């Protein structure tokens, strides 16, 4: 990781309620936002990955993979028979390899009957075949699908970052012997590596800024969805086992328990109450965004909105705004990716005739 953000540099702005109930001041909705439907007919599309020629690969949670070319959606032939789509689990994260132009490779993350695993594929026409199976297995899974996590991203060194959920089991997030409730750093070719952070409840988004700063988006229980600055070796303070002192899964503990873990990293932003069920996250970049360039775009499932955060150089959240065109107008929003045309692409997750949306600023 090229950039390690010191604990003391993280800004935590509290006490100012915004329109989403969060811990940063709200600002007026940005003007000039335009939204169009690129493709439809999906079922819980989870992740968008752009190919070098501008086409999109889209994972669907029930265990399907689609290719979108200028609005035309084509089902990719792929052996996805081992995917178990139950609850929050199924076919989830996807990352297109940087050398796709020569290798045609991409990697997915999916729940199976025994674990959550990463598989690397090779795309030929409309057919994908497994070439590294698994790239990495053994990520814990809950049979119900709860807290499956599994967002994928590449950092500036080409390392594969994997956000995982704690599978709603009390000891997992703090257990360094488990891959759940962590952010993993893995070699994209071999799958080698392991946890670089712990103490997470359910990581749903990973955003890598141009300067190397990494922010994660995480589901809270009844309160406190969080944005967190990724610091290798850090603990983010989620421990529903209360140090192993209670039975069951105690969701009444703080999302970041600074009393039990004084060195835990405080959230850069917290939703407070109610939660938004924030999900994917990506930094906006390019001239088309004007004063929004550099903002962090974060989707919300329960909140059915897009949140735009102004982020400081050190990773603190300065303010948040909500475009009115993406506030309840399209239902639950899950995936977020910046296209080669600098437009923001989002997926809806309503379960019926879901869509890929293209968001621009006029």
């Amino acid at each position: 990781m090229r950039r390690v953000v010191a604990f003391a540099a993280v800004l935590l702005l509290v006490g100012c309620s915004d329109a989403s109930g969060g811990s940063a001041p709200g600002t007026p909705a940005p003007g000039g936002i335009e939204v169009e439907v690129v493709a439809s007919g999906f079922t819980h599309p989870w992740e968008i990955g752009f190919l070098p020629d501008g086409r999109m690969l889209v994972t669907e949670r029930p265990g399907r993979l689609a290719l979108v070319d200028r609005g035309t959606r084509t089902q990719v032939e792929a052996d996805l028979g081992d995917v178990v789509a139950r609850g929050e689990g199924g076919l989830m994260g996807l990352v297109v390899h940087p050398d796709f132009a020569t290798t045609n490779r991409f990697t997915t993350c999916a729940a199976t009957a025994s674990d959550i695993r990463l598989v690397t594929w090779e795309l030929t026409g409309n057919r994908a075949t497994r070439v590294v199976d698994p790239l990495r297995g053994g990520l814990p899974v809950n049979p119900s699908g709860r807290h499956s996590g599994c967002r994928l991203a590449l950092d500036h060194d080409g390392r594969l970052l994997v956000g995982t959920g704690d599978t709603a089991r009390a000891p997992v997030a703090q257990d360094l012997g488990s891959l759940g409730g962590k952010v993993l750093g893995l070699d994209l070719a071999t799958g080698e590596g392991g946890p670089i952070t712990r103490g997470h409840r359910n990581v749903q988004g990973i955003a890598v800024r141009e300067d190397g700063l990494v922010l994660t988006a995480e589901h809270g229980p009844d309160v406190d969805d969080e944005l967190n600055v990724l610091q290798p070796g850090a603990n983010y303070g989620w421990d529903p086992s209360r140090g192993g002192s209670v039975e069951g899964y105690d969701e009444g503990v703080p999302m970041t328990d600074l009393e039990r873990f004084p060195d835990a990293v405080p959230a850069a932003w917290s939703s407070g109450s109610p939660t938004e069920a924030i999900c994917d996250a990506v930094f906006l970049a390019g001239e088309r965004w004007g004063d929004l360039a550099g903002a962090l775009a974060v989707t919300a499932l329960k909140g059915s909105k897009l949140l735009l955060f102004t982020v400081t150089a050190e990773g603190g959240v300065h303010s948040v705004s909500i475009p009115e065109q993406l506030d309840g107008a399209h239902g639950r929003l899950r995936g977020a990716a910046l296209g080669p045309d600098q437009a923001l692409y989002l997926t809806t997750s309503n379960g019926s005739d879901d869509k890929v949306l293209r968001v621009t600023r006029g």
Side-chain angles (χ1 to χ4, degrees):
M1 185 74 62
R2 293 181 180 177
R3 184 186 183 101
V4 177
V5 182
F7 169 79
V10 179
L11 295 179
L12 180 63
L13 302 180
V14 297
C16 297
S17 179
D18 64 78
S20 68
S23 57
T27 58
I33 300 296
E34 299 177 358
V35 182
E36 61 178 310
V37 175
V38 173
S40 58
F42 299 92
T43 302
H44 294 299
W46 223 90
E47 186 86 274
I48 298 171
F50 281 93
L51 305 184
D53 60 7
R55 292 180 298 164
M56 289 180 277
L57 278 172
V58 181
T59 57
E60 295 179 75
R61 196 171 66 193
R64 292 190 296 272
L65 184 65
L67 193 61
V68 178
D69 184 6
R70 289 170 291 187
T72 300
R73 173 179 175 271
T74 303
Q75 204 71 31
V76 175
E77 296 180 28
D79 179 11
L80 292 163
D82 60 343
V83 174
V84 175
R86 186 175 298 128
E88 300 164 18
L91 183 59
M92 298 174 285
L94 174 147
V95 66
V96 175
H97 290 207
D99 60 356
F100 182 92
T102 56
T103 66
N104 293 323
R105 291 191 173 189
F106 64 95
T107 294
T108 61
C109 188
T112 72
S114 59
D115 62 1
I116 292 173
R117 63 184 60 182
L118 303 166
V119 174
T120 296
W121 305 76
E122 186 172 301
L123 183 69
T124 304
N126 293 332
R127 182 175 181 80
T129 55
R130 301 182 185 224
V131 291
V132 186
D133 181 16
L135 175 66
R136 184 65 176 264
L139 282 66
V141 66
N142 188 314
S144 72
R146 281 199 74 193
H147 297 187
S148 295
C150 227
R151 186 68 65 183
L152 307 183
L154 296 175
D155 71 11
H156 278 201
D157 295 322
R159 179 171 54 171
L160 178 62
L161 302 178
V162 184
T164 70
D166 70 354
T167 68
R169 294 185 175 97
V172 166
Q174 293 296 330
D175 180 2
L176 291 176
S178 172
L179 299 179
K182 312 293 189 298
V183 174
L184 313 179
L186 307 178
D187 186 288
L188 184 60
T190 66
E192 295 177 353
I196 55 177
T197 63
R198 62 183 169 123
H200 299 281
R201 183 175 181 271
N202 195 16
V203 177
Q204 292 287 299
I206 302 176
V208 181
R209 198 165 64 182
E210 291 178 337
D211 62 0
L213 180 80
V214 180
L215 283 174
T216 62
E218 189 169 348
H219 280 180
D222 293 334
V223 296
D224 295 337
D225 290 338
E226 289 185 349
L227 294 179
N228 286 301
V229 178
L230 192 70
Q231 300 182 36
N235 187 346
Y236 289 80
W238 173 248
D239 181 19
S241 78
R242 293 189 180 270
S245 64
V246 300
E247 295 182 2
Y249 187 72
D250 183 359
E251 296 199 80
V253 299
M255 266 291 278
T256 304
D257 192 340
L258 293 173
E259 183 175 339
R260 181 172 296 280
F261 307 106
D263 294 332
V265 179
W269 173 87
S270 175
S271 67
S273 181
T275 54
E276 300 281 0
I278 59 174
C279 199
D280 206 359
V282 65
F283 285 98
L284 302 180
E287 295 180 357
R288 72 157 57 242
W289 292 104
D291 60 357
L292 288 178
L296 180 71
V298 178
T299 57
L301 294 164
K302 184 174 73 175
S304 297
K305 59 171 66 78
L306 183 75
L307 298 99
L308 297 176
F309 295 90
T310 303
V311 180
T312 68
E314 297 81 10
V317 171
H318 182 267
S319 62
V320 59
S321 62
I322 301 168
E324 60 185 21
Q325 299 88 342
L326 290 160
D327 187 1
H330 299 277
R332 295 160 61 87
L333 300 179
R334 184 182 295 278
L338 201 65
D341 58 354
Q342 300 180 357
L344 174 64
Y345 290 80
L346 307 175
T347 69
T348 70
S349 191
N350 300 311
S352 176
D353 192 26
D354 280 314
K355 298 171 176 61
V356 173
L357 307 176
R358 181 175 183 265
V359 183
T360 55
R361 195 180 194 194

